[in-house]
Amino acid sequence: MSKHLRKVIAAILIPFSAAVVVGLVVLWPGGAPPHQRTGVGFDRQTQQATVTTVTSVSCQVGAGGQAPIGDPSATGGAPAAQEAKKGPCKKATVRVDTGKDKGRTFTELVQPDQTRQLHQGDKVVVAYEPKAPKELQYAVTDLDRKFPMALLAGIFAVAVVVVGRLRGVMALVALAVSFLVLTLFILPAVLQGSNPLLVAVVGSSAIMLIALYMCHGLSARTSVAVLGTLVSLLLIGVLGSQFIGWAALTGNTDDSTGLIHGLYPSIDMSGLLLAGVIIGSLGVLDDVTVTQTSAVWELHEANPSMGWRGLYRAGIRIGRDHIASVVNTLVLAYAGAALPLLLLFSIAQSGVGTVATSELVAEEIVRTLVGSIGLVASVPVTTLLAALVVSADRPAPGTAAPVGAQPVTASGGRGRRRKR
């Protein structure tokens, strides 16, 4: 039965892999479609710049001789004496370092209660609006974080290689490939108007095949993990599609999604939400399926005489512990990403039920629960497949064990050989 199952797995994965390649070719976008800049959020023109000097000035008068934006004394708010208690304002001189205006300087007034303060020598990102008056064309929008981010990425890569060695190197290569598939295929294809769900399925499948086979090799063990991941992704896709539809989730709940919908009205935002659920679940699914498959293979190596039922029972005991940890991990990962939303439960005047069923929060709840169901299902599915496939290597009845070998009990311990 196990040998027949191997053929069935090959008969499924080979056409599936071919379909993924065809899907990549057919849906390949060739770049994001152009659009007219809105000047809002990330759609602004930006340049790199440096803060050259910072001096203290009165908050009453801005750099251009006018009251600064947000100054309460200019709008009939708090008197100037109250503003003075907060400390003096700062006038930062900023030099543009890139673009056609390289070397040009402008001034920025920084209020004492602003979250982001500027200091001499800071590298910053500035927005450019060509239609504005010349003295207002540039404004600081953020700090330049390239160096600390690159340093952190370097530390991560070194840690992975030192601990994982060759496997770590292959994992980094697979990570780079996954990022390329995401940026060169999935995102542009969605912007081009392709069905987000179809794009997510094809892109996620390509990432799954490349990452698993690249990191773990072309083997029956990896193929079982791939098939277990595929079955779980299909379950997540079906459940996500049903419950996103039943809950009437539009996927258009914040400024970012609103801007995307405004720029590209043809994008199916609810489909984009479902695509995010599938892609977000893929990484944790890979971990679960690979771990369960490896556990069953190691149990078989420890006791080759154990049948598929015994392997499944032992593997599922390991899987129960895995389920408890990964579900908690997934929930906390989503909670960390949506931490501002969780604050709504604390500050909302409405009841918890009203807040939890609002679309903004319901999206995260559906995303978490659907992904968790797929994770839970992946454990018995992958464990069963692995037990059936690896039991093909079970020694035939009556085969003598190697001289000096000690049999292994079902629990993995060494025991005495029983007399027959």
Side-chain angles (χ1 to χ4, degrees):
M1 178 176 64
S2 298
K3 292 181 179 179
H4 177 68
L5 185 60
R6 287 175 183 247
K7 295 180 181 180
V8 172
I9 292 176
I12 294 174
L13 292 183
I14 292 175
F16 170 72
S17 302
V20 170
V21 173
V22 172
L24 288 172
V25 173
V26 173
L27 296 174
W28 194 265
H35 68 274
Q36 187 174 1
R37 288 186 179 273
T38 62
V40 178
F42 290 107
D43 201 38
R44 293 174 291 189
Q45 298 185 45
T46 59
Q47 301 293 344
Q48 304 299 312
T50 303
V51 178
T52 56
T53 59
V54 177
T55 57
S56 297
V57 296
S58 171
C59 291
Q60 296 301 304
V61 180
Q66 300 177 351
I69 297 175
D71 182 17
S73 63
T75 57
Q82 295 182 4
E83 285 297 312
K85 294 180 181 180
K86 298 180 181 179
C89 289
K90 295 180 181 179
K91 184 175 70 171
T93 303
V94 184
R95 183 188 68 240
V96 180
D97 295 332
T98 59
K100 64 182 184 64
D101 291 329
K102 181 178 180 180
R104 177 177 166 182
T105 61
F106 66 95
T107 56
E108 183 99 359
L109 190 68
V110 182
Q111 297 283 352
D113 56 350
Q114 281 184 207
T115 302
R116 182 176 62 245
Q117 295 291 316
L118 299 179
H119 306 88
Q120 185 173 351
D122 282 351
K123 299 293 183 180
V124 295
V125 178
V126 296
Y128 173 63
E129 177 50 61
K131 296 181 180 179
K134 187 174 181 178
E135 64 275 8
L136 301 176
Q137 287 181 336
Y138 285 96
V140 176
T141 61
D142 207 348
L143 294 176
D144 186 351
R145 301 181 179 89
K146 288 187 176 64
F147 177 74
M149 298 297 289
L151 179 61
L152 181 60
I155 295 173
F156 164 74
V158 170
V160 170
V161 173
V162 168
V163 177
R165 298 185 181 180
L166 181 59
R167 287 288 180 89
V169 174
M170 298 307 296
L172 291 176
V173 174
L175 178 62
V177 173
S178 301
F179 182 75
L180 289 176
V181 172
L182 182 65
T183 56
L184 299 181
F185 172 70
I186 295 178
L187 299 180
V190 171
L191 291 176
Q192 199 177 52
S194 299
N195 185 289
L197 177 58
L198 182 59
V199 171
V201 169
V202 173
S204 298
S205 300
I207 291 173
M208 173 184 66
L209 291 171
I210 294 171
L212 289 180
Y213 281 116
M214 182 176 291
C215 293
H216 305 285
L218 188 63
S219 64
R221 180 190 299 201
T222 308
S223 297
V224 169
V226 169
L227 188 57
T229 305
L230 176 60
V231 172
S232 303
L233 279 179
L234 290 175
L235 176 61
I236 290 173
V238 172
L239 288 176
S241 178
Q242 291 296 325
F243 282 94
I244 287 174
W246 287 343
L249 300 177
T250 64
N252 189 5
T253 54
D254 55 26
D255 294 339
S256 298
T257 54
L259 177 60
I260 293 172
H261 185 65
L263 294 174
Y264 301 96
S266 61
I267 292 180
D268 179 9
M269 299 304 293
S270 61
L272 189 63
L273 173 61
L274 179 57
V277 173
I278 293 175
I279 295 173
S281 303
L282 178 61
V284 188
L285 272 178
D286 287 351
D287 171 61
V288 173
T289 55
V290 169
T291 302
Q292 284 304 115
T293 305
S294 296
V296 173
W297 245 261
E298 291 302 321
L299 288 169
H300 173 71
E301 290 291 333
N303 187 0
S305 63
M306 190 186 299
W308 71 267
R309 290 182 179 86
L311 288 170
Y312 176 78
R313 285 194 294 268
I316 206 66
R317 285 196 294 271
I318 299 172
R320 291 190 185 105
D321 292 334
H322 206 181
I323 287 174
S325 61
V326 297
V327 168
N328 194 47
T329 298
L330 185 64
V331 170
L332 290 179
Y334 281 130
L339 198 57
L341 292 181
L342 297 182
L343 293 177
L344 293 176
F345 289 100
S346 300
I347 65 176
Q349 297 297 320
S350 304
V352 173
T354 302
V355 176
T357 55
S358 64
E359 184 170 8
L360 190 63
V361 181
E363 279 189 4
E364 301 302 325
I365 294 176
V366 169
R367 193 195 312 269
T368 302
L369 295 181
V370 168
S372 298
I373 292 172
L375 285 176
V376 172
S378 69
V379 171
V381 169
T382 308
T383 305
L384 178 60
L385 288 172
L388 290 172
V389 172
V390 77
S391 61
D393 299 327
R394 181 184 179 187
T399 302
V403 178
Q406 294 181 351
V408 183
T409 64
S411 61
R414 300 286 179 180
R416 293 182 179 179
R417 186 183 302 278
R418 294 183 179 180
K419 294 182 180 180
R420 296 184 180 180

